[in-house]
Amino acid sequence: MPRDFIAKRVAELKPSGIRKFFDIVATMDDVISLGIGEPDFTTPKPILEAGIEALRQGETHYTSNAGIYELREAIADMLEEKYQVSYNPVDEVVVSVGVSEALYLALTAVIDPGEEIIIPTPCFVSYQAEVMLAGGVPVEVPGTFENGFQPEPELIEKAITPKTKAIFIGFPNNPTGAVASRENLLAISKIAEKHDLLVISDEIYDSLVYGVEHVCFAALPGMKERTITLGGFSKSYAMTGWRVGYAAAPANILGGLVRIHQYTVMSAPSVSQLAALAAINLGADAAEEMRLKYDRRRQLIVSGLNEIGLETFLPQGAFYAFPKISGTGMDDEEFAQRLLEEEKVAVVPGSAFGSGGEGFVRCSYATDYTKIEQALERIGSFVKRCGG
Ligand SMILES: Cc1ncc(COP(=O)(O)O)c(C=O)c1O
């Protein structure tokens, strides 16, 4: 037997709790999936057409490492217009292979071995894993249902040690749907300044908010110089398969990200970059139409879950509801497993998203309205039968 060739830091990574579930779902028929965190919509037509046309025009080559200039410019203009934060498209924006790559770039560029990154949880499953892959230590600061899963500035400050390098926030939040309040973000900005910390802010769901404002962290006073903003196209424009996103940061920080990007992926796919440009220029109406549909589904799923007796706070962003299932007497793993086996409804155990997620499950409402209605019926019978 050859020796074990896998690096220790990789061997120590747990497989994603989400993927594990989908491997089971893939083997079953008639499952209603509230599991997956991706729009059920196909990419809107004007964006699709732009992608197809780009291929026809022979746009099949590498682009400049940081991305097609016109797209970087459009991203900078969009951030300026939406949030009044200015990035120079020449050296402050990089187009990445989804926010997934941007996350990797940001963490790899800033973490020295053993440095700590504070992460309010529950959060997107990749944050902790990417911190560990970059040689860092994720320090989780759990939010609570009672506090609407807001990031808690006092707890964040308490978690700071001499090894802390950055605070990593992801709002609107996957999996809770919480949108961080301006007040809390301002308090976090003061902490970042006081302790000279970097802030990495994953704002991939910035356009998916319902009746509340999304605050761009970098736009807060003094924050641009210590923030890496991550954003993308996957969610708001239904473009998950195109694999395109971006990072924006001051040139002295962004240069580090671009260096890694150059050596690892060279450039994001050319055709996807041109489709992303079309999304910014032509996709606003379609994005708004999808947002309104998500909003309708949000009302349905939240009131449905509450009626079933699974207490669910009203999410203000993204496309997830996060019902509390601890009252059923099951833990979140058992609840999700049995719901899948007995009623063929897929949800994701909250503990997959880090501390604070135990006792909850994530239900994505990026699913057809009628399917959500059916799923609610099935969840209702399950809870009635097994809910303690
Ligand atoms: C909070 C968050 N960040 C980043 C990503 C990754 O998105 P992308 O498709 O742009 O890589 C996801 C996808 O689920 C997400 O939920």
Side-chain angles (χ1 to χ4, degrees):
M1 268 287 271
R3 66 196 161 100
D4 190 355
F5 292 118
I6 296 298
K8 246 195 226 122
R9 66 178 195 291
V10 177
E12 278 165 9
L13 285 182
K14 287 184 299 186
S16 153
I18 298 190
R19 284 294 136 207
K20 199 174 76 186
F21 240 75
F22 288 110
D23 292 343
I24 307 175
V25 173
T27 65
M28 297 173 68
D29 293 326
D30 305 326
V31 173
I32 301 178
S33 181
L34 305 180
I36 203 143
E38 93 168 313
D40 57 322
F41 303 110
T42 305
T43 305
K45 211 155 178 214
I47 305 173
L48 270 185
E49 297 293 344
I52 293 166
E53 189 49 31
L55 284 176
R56 288 217 172 89
Q57 295 294 326
E59 297 283 359
T60 56
H61 302 271
Y62 296 130
T63 71
S64 93
N65 288 135
I68 294 170
Y69 184 74
E70 222 182 331
L71 174 58
R72 285 185 274 148
E73 200 174 32
I75 291 166
D77 288 349
M78 178 180 71
L79 291 170
E80 171 82 52
E81 191 184 315
K82 277 168 97 169
Y83 303 118
Q84 295 77 55
V85 57
S86 300
Y87 289 103
N88 184 342
V90 174
D91 52 8
E92 296 191 324
V93 178
V94 62
V95 181
S96 56
V97 181
V99 171
S100 301
E101 192 220 347
L103 274 172
Y104 169 81
L105 295 177
L107 292 165
T108 308
V110 306
I111 295 177
D112 277 315
E115 286 183 329
E116 295 173 359
I117 308 294
I118 295 175
I119 312 175
T121 54
C123 68
F124 178 47
V125 291
S126 294
Y127 298 168
Q128 295 93 328
E130 297 267 14
V131 169
M132 287 163 73
L133 278 175
V137 179
V139 176
E140 301 189 353
V141 175
T144 61
F145 177 84
E146 292 68 30
N147 201 12
F149 291 107
Q150 284 287 314
E152 302 203 44
E154 310 80 59
L155 299 183
I156 289 174
E157 189 160 27
K158 269 199 197 138
I160 294 172
T161 75
K163 288 187 177 163
T164 306
K165 184 70 157 284
I167 303 170
F168 194 124
I169 50 176
F171 295 90
N173 181 267
N174 170 8
T176 65
V179 176
S181 68
R182 179 176 285 276
E183 186 192 352
N184 283 338
L185 292 176
L186 265 172
I188 293 170
S189 75
K190 300 272 161 38
I191 293 166
E193 205 149 45
K194 180 171 153 199
H195 298 271
D196 195 15
L197 300 176
L198 174 78
V199 175
I200 304 173
S201 184
D202 177 358
E203 304 185 18
I204 191 169
Y205 295 101
D206 72 332
S207 301
L208 290 174
V209 288
Y210 312 100
V212 293
E213 68 161 349
H214 166 73
V215 175
C216 171
F217 193 84
L220 294 174
M223 284 304 108
K224 186 198 153 182
E225 63 184 28
R226 57 174 71 251
T227 301
I228 303 177
T229 303
L230 311 180
F233 299 86
S234 288
K235 313 292 177 171
S236 39
Y237 298 106
M239 290 180 70
T240 45
W242 297 82
R243 310 309 303 126
V244 58
Y246 59 87
N252 58 332
I253 300 175
L254 197 88
L257 278 70
V258 174
R259 233 166 296 151
I260 305 167
H261 176 76
Q262 267 171 3
Y263 289 125
T264 48
V265 308
M266 202 95 95
S267 67
S270 52
V271 62
S272 303
Q273 294 190 53
L274 289 162
L277 181 60
I280 294 179
N281 291 335
L282 311 168
D285 290 349
E288 177 60 6
E289 214 174 286
M290 292 188 278
R291 192 190 66 86
L292 292 172
K293 286 189 177 147
Y294 292 134
D295 192 10
R296 211 172 141 247
R297 299 165 178 189
R298 176 179 75 115
Q299 317 278 353
L300 170 72
I301 199 164
V302 171
S303 59
L305 289 166
N306 277 307
E307 272 165 35
I308 290 167
L310 300 177
E311 213 181 338
T312 308
F313 100 106
L314 187 68
Q316 294 175 313
F319 39 52
Y320 308 103
F322 204 56
K324 190 174 185 176
I325 56 84
S326 45
T328 62
M330 288 174 262
D331 68 24
D332 50 294
E333 288 263 355
E334 183 190 355
F335 183 95
Q337 184 102 24
R338 286 186 59 188
L339 181 64
L340 180 60
E341 284 164 4
E342 297 175 28
E343 296 287 344
K344 295 192 171 183
V345 175
V347 298
V348 183
S351 48
F353 304 96
S355 50
E358 315 83 11
F360 297 84
V361 294
R362 187 189 77 174
C363 304
S364 163
Y365 53 87
T367 307
D368 190 63
Y369 195 88
T370 53
K371 283 206 179 135
I372 296 175
E373 286 178 320
Q374 289 165 22
L376 285 168
E377 269 176 39
R378 295 186 191 184
I379 297 171
S381 356
F382 176 70
V383 171
K384 216 180 215 171
R385 197 172 63 246
C386 315

